Amino acid sequence: MDTFDALRLFLSIAEAGSLSAAARKHSVATSTVTSALQQLERQRGTTLVRRSTRRLAFTQEGLQFLADTRKLLADWDASIGGAKEGPLRGTIKMTSTVDFGRSKIVPAIDRFMEIHPGISIDLHVTDSVMDLVEHNIDLAIRNGPLRDSSLKARLILRGKRVVCAAPSYWEARGKALHPGDLVGHTCLVVSRPATTFSTWHFSDAGNMISIRVSGNRVVNDGSILKRWALKGYGVLLCPIWDVEDELAAGDLVTALDEFLPDNANLYAVTDGSTVNHRVRALIDFLAEELHR
C-alpha cells in the first residue's frame, strides 16, 4: 500500500475511534485498515496502537507518530490545496471556553458555515484545557497568556480580566479598594483538574502582586461562577467579554480596575503542525468577526 494512503487510514483510526469506523469512512474493508496499520508499525519498528476486542489505545510512540502524521498530511494538503483552492469542505474539530463559546463563538460559527456550507463543525465547549493531540483537536480558542511553547497561537482579540460582584454583595461587604482587601472577601474560584486557581494576580505601581483568595464555592465551569456572582454569593475574576452584558446592565459592578494587567487576550491555538486551509480560513474569519 502507498505510504500516504496508509497514513491517511492511520489518522482516520484516531479520528473515528476504531478500525471498522475508519474503514467505513474510506469505504474499504476493515482488513485493509488493519493491513495499513501493520505496515506502518513494521516501518516504524514499534507498536503504535494496542488493540483489544473492546477498544483501541495509542501507545506513547503511537501518539507521537500521530502528531507527526497529522503535520505531514497537513503540509501536503496545504501544498496541494494552495494550488487549487476551491470551496471549503471537511470537518473542523475545535474547543472553546463555555461562556465565550456560547455568546461569541457559536454565532460566529453559524455565519462562517452560512458562507461555507461544505464545512462541518465539531465544537466542544469546556473550561478545561483539552490536549489538542490526544483529542485530535484542530483549533482551540483559549485565554492567554499561554504557557505551552509547543503550540502555535494567533492573537485574535485583546482584552483584560475584571474583578466584579453584584451590587448587593458590595453593599453588604464593602467594595474592595486594594487587591489585599480580597483576603477578607468571599471569592468565587475556578478549578481545573488537579488545580484550583485561588491565586489572583494584580499590578500595583508596576509591581506584580499575587493574592491568595478563598471562598465556599469552587467549580470548573465559568458560567456557574457568573451565575453565583449574579446572585450575590461572592467576587468573581474573569475575562471582561464573559460579563460585558451584565456590566452594561448594572447587574455586576467592577472593582480594582486600576490594578488589573491587560493579559486576558484571546488566542486561536493549533498543535504546531501546518494548519490546513479550512482551519486557517476559520481563524481569519474569527479574527475579523470578533473585532466588530
Side-chain angles (χ1 to χ4, degrees), residues 238-280:
C238 68
I240 190 168
W241 44 69
D242 284 349
V243 290
E244 283 177 327
D245 293 342
E246 291 77 13
L247 293 175
D251 297 325
L252 293 174
V253 177
T254 65
L256 308 175
D257 294 347
E258 66 272 29
F259 295 100
L260 284 156
D262 295 332
N263 66 347
N265 297 328
L266 201 72
Y267 294 87
V269 183
T270 57
D271 66 3
S273 62
T274 300
V275 176
N276 63 51
H277 180 45
R278 59 182 176 274
V279 174
R280 188 168 65 248

Side-chain angles (χ1 to χ4, degrees), residues 145-194:
L146 303 175
R147 296 176 176 81
D148 190 339
S149 61
S150 68
L151 302 176
K152 285 185 178 179
R154 174 179 167 182
L155 176 64
I156 60 173
L157 186 63
R158 293 187 179 277
K160 63 181 294 182
R161 289 183 172 84
V162 292
V163 169
C164 58
S168 60
Y169 177 88
W170 292 132
E171 291 169 7
R173 301 289 298 274
K175 196 171 185 179
L177 301 177
H178 184 274
D181 296 342
L182 292 173
V183 174
H185 280 270
T186 300
C187 294
L188 305 171
V189 179
V190 66
S191 66
R192 299 283 187 268

